[in-house]
Amino acid sequence: GADTDSNYADGEIYDRYRVVQNNGFGYAMYHLKFMTHAGIMLYQNGIDIFEYIGKNGENLLLSFKVYADYLIEDDLTLHGGHYSNDKSLNRGMAYNTYAIGYYVYKDETIKSVLDALFDQKVGCNDIEVLGNSAIFIYPTKD
């Protein structure tokens, strides 16, 4: 009942109800990150969820694409403003997830996110991937 807005985009992770807590976008990114990490672990064990397409066309690539504009433009008010009251966009947390996404899909939208973060000098701050040393990592454009 917390989410009365049912205007979801294809690929959007259903965690927008947390906008009432002012952190829906962060949780959506968190879930995308862990689905991506699980995807890599599964792939290494012979299961490719990156190529999976659900009965209604659902797939992980759509999730990468649906959040791209927010990350590129550094603007949570885009696409209807569903996340406009969120506490933070925290784009530095997207680096590792989108780097894996680009490695898997070679998609230009995903690459545009990485290029924008690099060009805008957004540092990687995803300490959950590489431990506390991750704050010292700044990806190169290539």
Side-chain angles (χ1 to χ4, degrees):
D3 186 5
T4 58
D5 181 359
S6 62
N7 186 22
Y8 289 91
D10 289 342
E12 190 169 2
I13 296 170
Y14 185 76
D15 209 356
R16 194 192 294 164
Y17 72 92
R18 294 186 197 240
V19 298
V20 299
Q21 302 168 342
N22 298 327
N23 58 8
F25 189 85
Y27 273 101
M29 288 288 93
Y30 204 55
H31 295 311
L32 179 59
K33 174 171 67 172
F34 286 119
M35 286 192 298
T36 302
H37 293 181
I40 291 294
M41 289 185 274
L42 288 166
Y43 182 80
Q44 296 299 331
N45 288 282
I47 301 169
D48 190 354
I49 67 165
F50 294 109
E51 293 299 320
Y52 173 79
I53 298 175
K55 66 179 181 176
N56 296 312
E58 308 92 343
N59 64 73
L60 201 50
L61 177 58
L62 288 174
S63 295
F64 280 101
K65 289 184 170 194
V66 78
Y67 298 110
D69 288 342
Y70 299 101
L71 296 165
I72 292 168
E73 299 297 326
D74 191 17
D75 187 353
L76 287 170
T77 67
L78 298 175
H79 305 294
H82 308 292
Y83 302 106
S84 60
N85 291 324
D86 275 22
K87 297 172 188 171
S88 172
L89 187 61
N90 197 359
R91 296 187 304 157
M93 289 291 285
Y95 253 127
N96 292 316
T97 303
Y98 273 75
I100 294 168
Y102 184 69
Y103 174 80
V104 169
Y105 291 113
K106 300 295 188 255
D107 180 80
E108 287 304 311
T109 301
I110 296 173
K111 180 145 181 11
S112 295
V113 170
L114 294 170
D115 288 345
L117 295 175
F118 181 84
D119 292 343
Q120 296 167 27
K121 298 182 180 10
V122 176
C124 176
N125 66 354
D126 191 347
I127 62 173
E128 293 173 339
V129 173
L130 300 171
N132 293 329
S133 64
I135 60 172
F136 301 109
I137 297 172
Y138 289 87
T140 61
K141 197 166 188 173
D142 297 320

